[in-house]
């Protein structure tokens, strides 16, 4: 058999790709021969990340604000102008908001649902022509939605809109996957546990804090963990996996019971 995990020459789009999990995945794809678009809202941060990642392959930065429908449409249009085919779309852009239940604000709910769920749905919708053009029956185009274990178990945090949004991502992944499989567009998700990233910086610090005790594997997630899982979902090896969300958490959900 040929290399079932090869992603060489694929065109990959990663939203929220300038730091954290997005940058980890981008590097993994670049090192394995893919062309990678990364996006972020802050231009300076995006360009700095793209320059660093360009040491590993062709990394193309596009500024995008997925916090509004207009921003999502502008990003999709920019991609459509550049690419007739997109092999892999990784919906990784995300935001979080914390506040006590009795004080949780409406804008904290709406902002998180816009970035974490609405933009994911509509960006995928808008890029369907490019995805369909890239897919085949043997090796479909891929959409990988980044969820969270917070959408599966009780987070023990007051991030109500975030956990609700990530549960929505898991169901949206199932629903869209079943509908788009016939079009040679394969959709799956990843539900990460604790990684050192922007979203978890207020909880864990990879340099100074040991892994939370509820992680059976005894460590935080590493770049190779998220990149390897995303590469699997983007490669021929996962062509028959459809509509599932892989839990990538060192055993945290299993430990939760």
């Amino acid at each position: 058999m040929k290399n079932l995990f090869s992603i060489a020459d694929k065109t990959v789009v990663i939203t929220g790709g300038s730091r954290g999990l997005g940058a980890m995945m981008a590097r993994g794809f670049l090192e394995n021969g893919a062309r990678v678009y990364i996006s972020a809202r802050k231009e300076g941060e995006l360009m700095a990340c793209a320059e660093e990642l360009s040491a590993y392959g062709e990394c193309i930065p596009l500024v995008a604000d997925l916090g509004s429908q207009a921003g999502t449409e502008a990003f999709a249009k920019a991609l459509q102008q550049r690419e007739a085919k997109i092999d892999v779309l990784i919906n990784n852009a995300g935001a979080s908001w914390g506040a006590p239940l009795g004080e949780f604000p409406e804008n904290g709910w709406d902002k998180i649902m816009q970035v974490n769920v609405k933009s994911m749905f509509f960006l995928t919708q808008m890029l369907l022509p490019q995805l369909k053009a890239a897919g085949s029956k043997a090796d479909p185009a891929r959409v990988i939605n980044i969820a969270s274990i917070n959408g599966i178990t009780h987070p023990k945090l007051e991030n109500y809109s975030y956990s609700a949004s990530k549960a929505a991502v898991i169901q949206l992944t199932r629903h869209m996957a079943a509908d788009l499989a016939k079009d040679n567009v394969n959709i799956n998700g990843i539900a990460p546990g604790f990684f050192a990233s922007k979203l978890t910086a207020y909880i864990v610090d990879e340099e100074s804090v040991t892994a939370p005790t509820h992680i059976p594997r005894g460590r935080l997630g590493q770049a190779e963990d998220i990149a390897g899982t995303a590469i699997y979902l983007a490669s021929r090896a996962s062509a028959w996996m459809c509509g599932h969300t892989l839990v990538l958490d060192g055993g945290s959900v299993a430990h939760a019971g």
Side-chain angles (χ1 to χ4, degrees), residues 103-157:
E103 303 169 15
F104 204 93
E106 184 179 5
N107 64 321
W109 187 272
D110 293 343
K111 175 184 175 180
I112 301 315
M113 289 298 176
Q114 166 63 45
V115 177
N116 293 5
V117 185
K118 185 177 177 180
S119 73
M120 179 181 291
F121 175 83
F122 283 103
L123 182 61
T124 304
Q125 179 199 69
M126 294 170 197
L127 295 179
L128 277 178
Q130 285 70 33
L131 290 163
K132 290 178 180 179
S136 67
K137 194 170 184 65
D139 193 13
R142 312 305 170 89
V143 177
I144 302 171
N145 295 330
I146 305 302
S148 168
I149 61 171
N150 282 188
I152 299 171
T153 61
H154 185 268
K156 299 182 176 63
L157 300 167

Side-chain angles (χ1 to χ4, degrees), residues 180-197:
L180 290 172
K182 68 182 185 305
D183 297 316
N184 298 324
V185 178
N186 221 14
I187 304 182
N188 290 290
I190 303 172
F194 282 95
F195 284 75
S197 70

Side-chain angles (χ1 to χ4, degrees), residues 18-78:
S18 68
R19 59 166 58 192
L21 298 183
M24 294 177 195
M25 289 186 285
R27 177 172 173 175
F29 276 93
L30 289 166
E31 288 182 326
N32 284 276
R35 293 174 66 241
V36 178
Y37 284 87
I38 61 171
S39 77
R41 182 171 55 86
K42 296 179 180 179
E43 184 174 6
E45 180 181 286
L46 175 66
M47 297 306 172
C49 181
E51 182 178 358
E52 181 179 335
L53 289 173
S54 290
Y56 307 104
E58 186 180 357
C59 181
I60 307 161
L62 287 178
V63 176
D65 183 359
L66 303 184
S68 70
Q69 186 71 354
T72 303
E73 290 173 359
F75 180 52
K77 184 176 181 179

